[in-house]
Structure formats: structure tokens, C-alpha cells
Amino acid sequence: MAQPDSKKIFFENLSGAGKAIAVLTSGGDAQGMNAAVRAVVRMGLYVGAKVYFIHEGYQGMVDGGDNIREATWESVSSMLQVGGTVIGSARCKEFRTHEGRLKAAHNLVQRGITNLCVIGGDGSLTGANLFREEWSGLLTELVEQGLIEEDAIQKYSALHIVGMVGSIDNDFCGTDMTIGTDSALHRIIEVVDAIMTTAQSHQRTFVLEVMGRHCGYLALVSALACGADWVLIPEMPPEDGWEEKMCQKLSANRAGMKRLNIIIVAEGAIDHSNKPITTDYIKNLVVKCLGFDTRVTILGHVQRGGTPSAFDRILASRMGVEAVLALLETTANTPACVVSLCGNQSVRLPLMECVQMTQEVQKAMDQKRFEEAVKLRGRSFENNLKTYKLLAHRKPETELPTSNFNVAVLNVGAPAAGMNAAVRSAVRVGISEGHKMFAVSDGFEGFYKGQIKEIKWADVGGWTGQGGSLLGTKRTLPAKHVDKIAEQMRMHNINALLVIGGFEAFESLLQLYEARATYEEFCIPMCMLPATISNNVPGTDLSIGADTALNAIVETCDRIKQSASGTKRRVFIIETMGGYCGYLASVGGLAAGADAAYIFEEPFDIRDLQANVEHLTEKMKTSIQRGLVLRNENCNDNYTTDFIYQLYSEEGRGVFDSRKNVLGHMQQGGAPSPFDRNFGTKISAKAMQWITKKLTETFRQDEGRVFANTEDSCCLLGMRRRALVFQPVVQLKGETDFVHRIPKEQWWLKLRPLMKILAKYKTSYDVSDSGQLEHVVRNRPKESDASVAM
């Protein structure tokens, strides 16, 4: 949808002139904090404000001196890919005292700073709010002590605070995801994947302790992402007698030919008596009851370390820019706010509402109101827990409902990491709902050839961490073989279809919907899950597999940029996949700190290329050592990667040299990221529940068969802004450019100005999505089931 011009702000009228913004990181460090600091500094400078670093958190604010330094554009170069926080973080007892805050106020006023961007946890943000409330009183005291002039009270009358939550625990209410959580999940899953190979070799049981003293998010999501046998978290203490149930499950899994067991424990795990459940207790229990070879691994601070993931870089960059906009728009009456993520949208929430709800969670847990604590954690946490319960604990055959429905699942199009997690989830949820599940090999090609067989609960064990498509996938569309496919559906009595794939899957469902007029076999519930690295499917902001591809791009860009370290100035031209869709080039460029990204959706000519070269040349003459340019594979027929490389080489002669790299199919390969595992698992479970509902609604008792021929019985399940939505595929036709296989409107195009701003270009920036202040209680729409999104 076109946005009115009044909702756009331009470089000329984005005024931060005369304002001073300070940024600090406080509390525990988290990967992605540096990306947030970089975004605040560059956006602040872009709008004409003075920006200051406060080193060592609140301690630096209290101590003043060299701890508070003016930031320049170059001072945040090369920090995007660095973990932790380069401006330092420290616990500060002094800031908790009135005298400490008085010193801090004096240090800020001396530099004219009245805008604070605080990146930290709930303790850091609560401290910032108290500082804000006391501000006018502190200034009065400073005047009385003769430390500042009287007119300073008027000049610096209000302190404005905007917070961003940096915490690997994801324990802050009001946001679906905190900065650092996704990277911590990456570290955990890397370890779990590595442990699984040694555990299988020796038939071992591993007990892993992950961080989370008060919040079980990391343990819960990593258990979902690796298919752990058992998980223990503070919000869900196990029922009495859990030890016996756990041992029975581990034993049953071994009897089912599983060579390993994984138990994940949050460091704050407790039983119903609030007694801690330790890893050693679990190990001794398993050895004593089952005699299994058992090992304990405590991940500790490994989870805080390492390079931030693509998701955390993008989240932190978006939040940093939003924080500066919030500071520009704030007035003396605006409450301190925190920039949060809801689904795929940034929102601003009153800081203290979020802090109070976060504190309510702990109160509920202390008072053993665990169900309430889970609800207070938010819909994201609640849905992760429901999905884990659905998938991890198989009910005995006698307790399963008997639906007598047959559901087929298949992959269509190119392979995408996370497809296997989605298939596993569909199979297990389907069996739990009482259906008989059938797997189709090699997409619709395998379908018409009859490569269809029943798939059981144990058949999909260990699938979550596998890349590619274990079912096999082909690009073949059903239209040419529709009669044979109908015949196979008759033979196997298929009552519903779940198709997991990219643009071909979307086209396939449209063809099957149209075939309903001729073949009644297709008058059944059909659902598609978007799974493609290109993220070019209409009806969804995100597709399974795109996050893994982004991480592959970002990791490679980091290595390529590092190769230039210590050499002469160099620009890298990198070609990404994506067909005609520029998602990977644009969002990968934002995450990798690119100077330009050429895409099909934003036409460019030789003058644009020349301007980019000149821009880079100017930057290279200062302290910038490396440049990065991304090019989507089909962005232009004539301006090829070779052409752009040769142009940059010629025009940059004497200032920088150039190198090129075509990333190719490495973007499709590898183990799926935690995001893709979790996203695939959850949307697949939701799709199967929708299929069950539709089967029940469309079953004709008198005829003894399913008959569904309405538009809403053939849907795509996608993430739209804040919610997961089922959309009839026939209604998405009008939103689709079938020639170029992309949606006509793409949300991520709004992120392109961010990349340009952070690369020092003057550009317009659309703020139509920027948050108005909302409230925590009405922050979640009913259908917002997505845990996280970009």
C-alpha cells in the first residue's frame, strides 16, 4: 500500500539539531548490543544530533571524564560483527544511591545531554526511569551546590529516556525477542548438534544446562529446536513423580532404536516445592534407574559469546533507528518508553508497564501460580510451551483420538533449511490429532508416480537439525499430471494435504484449487507453509529457510571483510541468490553492513553505480578500510556481477581495489538456524490443527467423506506484520507478480533506507510503521502466535 507523503520524513526535515544523545550498555552483555550502538550513533549523526558514548554503563556516567566521549561516524565502523559490547558494561552500586545519580546528572548537564538511549535488562531500564523522574530535583540540587548555572534548569528541564532490551534470556515482557537471544540460541544449538554426534556414537545420554535463572526461554526453544527428550524450566515445574516418567520416556526412546537422549535444563529449574533441580541430580537419577552412560555439559558463558546472528544484527539495527526517532519525537510529558518487537513490527511501549509485568512474572512464580506466570511471559512463550508438549510427549495409542482421516505431507520446489523440522512437527501433531500421516517423496513428481507411504512418530526422530529436504523435493507442478495425482489420492484415500515449499508450492496449490471443478479428489482441506530461502512467496513476511540463508551470507561477508584486514583498501562485490527477489541482498546487506545492495525491485542505472563508486571513494579517503556491495542475481540483465566488479575496479583505481564473490548454493545448504527450526515447527503445528478443524467441519456424515470446495479451505499460512494468518491462495493471486515470481508489495523494502542511512547516504525514510506509544495489555493480537520475526 502506498503511504501518504506526510508520513515520510526526509533528511532535510529530520531535525535533531541542537540535541545531544548518549548511548550506554548496562547489565549483562548480549550479542547485538554493538549493532544497536552503531545504529543509534549513525542515525543520531544523520539527523544532526551530537552523539556520545558512555563507557562502562552507569559506572561511566557516574565517573564522567573520559568515560563520556563524543562519537563519530568512523568510531562505530567494524563493530557490527563483534559480540559483547565494545563500549563496556558494568554493575554500578553507586548509581543506586542518590549521590551517585547526582554525579551522573552533573556529568550529563556539563555536556548538554538530555537524551539517553539505554541498552540493558529490566534493572538497567528501571534505574534509567528513576533517574528521569528525579532529574529536575537533581538539577535544583546542582544549582544549590553551585555546580551548574541557574539557567541550566530551564535549558535542560527534562531527561528523555528510550530503552532497548539487551538480554540473552528473553525475560522482558512486552517484546517477542530481546537483543542477544537469537545469538545465544545459535551457540546452544551449535553445541547440541556437536554433542549429538558423539552421543550417537556411544549411545549416551547428555544433560545440558543452559542459562536462564528466572526464565526458561532458552531451554524451551533449544529443546524445540533440537527435539530434546525432556526439558526442565522454572515456569513449568514438573509434576510429582516426574523422575519415573522421565526415565520411562528415555527408556522407551532407546527401545525405539534411538541411540541417544538429550535432556535440557534451565539453570533456574525448580520442582513444585521450589527446590532446585540440578544437572547432577538428573545424571545420578538416569544412571541409577536406567544404567545409561550419562554426561553433563554446562554451557555457561559460551552462550553470551561469539558473533551476533543475522537476526540480532537486523533487530538491533531496526531498534536503534527506532530509538532515535522516539527520542526526536518525545516531549516533556512523554513517559520513558522501550522499543519492542511484536511479530514483525517494532512498537513503543511504556517502559514501566513492561518492567511491572516482568516483575509480576517473578511474583507469580514465587507464589507457585505457574500457569499465570506462563501467560504473563507472553503469547510467544506460551505457544512455544504448547508446541513442545504436543511434539515431545507421545500419548499411548489408547488415549489418541481416532479420526480415520489420512493426511499427506510433501515438499515442493527448492530445498530450504527448516523443511524437515516442519515435516516432523506435522507428522507428530497429525498423529496426536488421531490422523494417519502419509509422506510423499519428491514433491508432485513422486505423488503422480505413487511414491506415497505412511510415516510414523519414530520415523521423524532427529529431523529438526537436518538441512535440505529428507522427503526429497522437485519443482514439478501438478497441472500436467493432475489426473494421475487424483488417482493416487483416491487409492490412498487422502483427505487433506500439507504442502511445504516456495513459489512452486504456491502455484501448485492454485492449480489444485482450480482442478476442484474437474476432480472431486481435490475438494479437501489444503494448506501451504512458505519455505524458501528467497522469501518471495506472497502472503507472508517470512519463509522457512530464509534466516539460515541470511546467516550463511552474513558469516561469509564477515570472513571476506576480515580477509582485507591489514591490506590496502578494498571493496568486495558479492552476488546473492533470490531469483528476482532482493530480500537476501537487502536484508543481508543491512546485517553485514553493506554500502550498497542492487536489487530488481529498485531499478538502477549507470548514474547510480557511478554515485555509489564516488560515495565509497570519499569514505575510503577517511579511515574506512573495506567496502561491501551486494548484488541480487537477477537484479539487472546488463549490469552483471562481472560488469559491476570491473566498473568498481576501474573507477576506484588509486583509492581501492576490488574483489568479487558469487555465494551460490552454499546459501541453501547447512543445518537450519534455531529461528528456522522453531518457526517451521510452530507454523507446521498450527497448520495441522487448522487441517483437523477443517476436516471436522467439511466431513459429510451422510456420505462418509470429506468435501471442501470453498476458498477458505485452500490456504497459505503466513506471518503478516504481527500475526500468523491463514489466507486463501486464490485471494493472493492479485498480490502476485507471476512473471518475476515475487509479491507486488514487499515489507522489507522499507528496511532499505536503513541500510543506506547506516552507510552514510542521504535518503528519505518512511516512518509510517514507526510506533505510536501503545500499552502492554493490548500489544498482542489474538492470532499473534509467531515467536519471533524480522
Side-chain angles (χ1 to χ4, degrees), residues 393-447:
H393 302 293
R394 186 181 182 183
K395 291 177 183 173
E397 298 285 340
T398 49
E399 290 181 31
L400 288 174
T402 48
S403 70
N404 297 319
F405 291 125
N406 295 346
V407 181
V409 58
L410 68 158
N411 295 334
V412 177
M419 275 182 163
N420 297 321
V423 172
R424 170 186 177 267
S425 178
V427 168
R428 292 197 168 178
V429 173
I431 290 168
S432 297
E433 305 264 321
H435 310 317
K436 194 180 271 191
M437 298 300 297
F438 286 85
V440 182
S441 300
D442 296 336
F444 283 107
E445 191 172 306
F447 212 133

Side-chain angles (χ1 to χ4, degrees), residues 444 478 482 497 508-516 522 526:
F444 283 107
V482 76
L497 209 56
S508 297
L509 237 61
L510 279 172
Q511 290 177 3
L512 295 181
Y513 175 81
E514 283 158 13
R516 281 176 169 180
F522 301 119
M526 294 187 277

Side-chain angles (χ1 to χ4, degrees), residues 49 122 124 148 162 191 218 374 435 502 570 611 662 713 718:
D122 61 335
S124 305
I148 60 172
V162 173
V191 171
L218 288 178
V374 168
H435 310 317
R570 187 165 282 170
V662 178
S713 61

Side-chain angles (χ1 to χ4, degrees), residues 610 613 617 642-658:
Q610 184 64 33
V613 173
T617 305
D642 278 338
F643 177 91
I644 293 172
Y645 159 66
Q646 286 164 4
L647 177 75
Y648 273 75
S649 297
E650 182 61 32
E651 296 298 318
R653 191 172 290 173
V655 181
F656 60 80
D657 65 359
S658 302

Side-chain angles (χ1 to χ4, degrees), residues 7 322 329 334 337-338 345-350 722 767-775 778-779:
K7 295 298 278 182
E322 184 70 23
E329 293 168 21
T334 311
C337 80
V338 63
Q345 200 175 2
S346 57
V347 292
R348 299 177 198 170
L349 301 169
R722 300 192 188 190
V767 292
S768 53
D769 274 350
S770 275
Q772 296 303 311
L773 201 63
E774 299 184 19
H775 293 280
R778 56 188 183 85
N779 178 29

Side-chain angles (χ1 to χ4, degrees), residues 455-511:
I455 188 165
K456 301 286 185 70
W457 185 281
D459 296 336
V460 291
W463 278 32
T464 47
Q466 301 284 322
S469 165
L470 292 171
L471 286 184
T473 181
K474 293 278 176 75
R475 294 181 184 271
T476 309
L477 296 178
K480 287 181 183 175
H481 313 284
V482 76
D483 52 339
K484 290 179 183 173
I485 293 168
E487 187 186 327
Q488 290 295 335
M489 291 184 82
R490 243 188 341 269
M491 281 171 59
H492 292 90
N493 189 28
I494 302 298
N495 307 119
L497 209 56
L498 180 66
V499 182
I500 302 164
F503 202 86
E504 290 90 352
F506 173 64
E507 289 181 298
S508 297
L509 237 61
L510 279 172
Q511 290 177 3

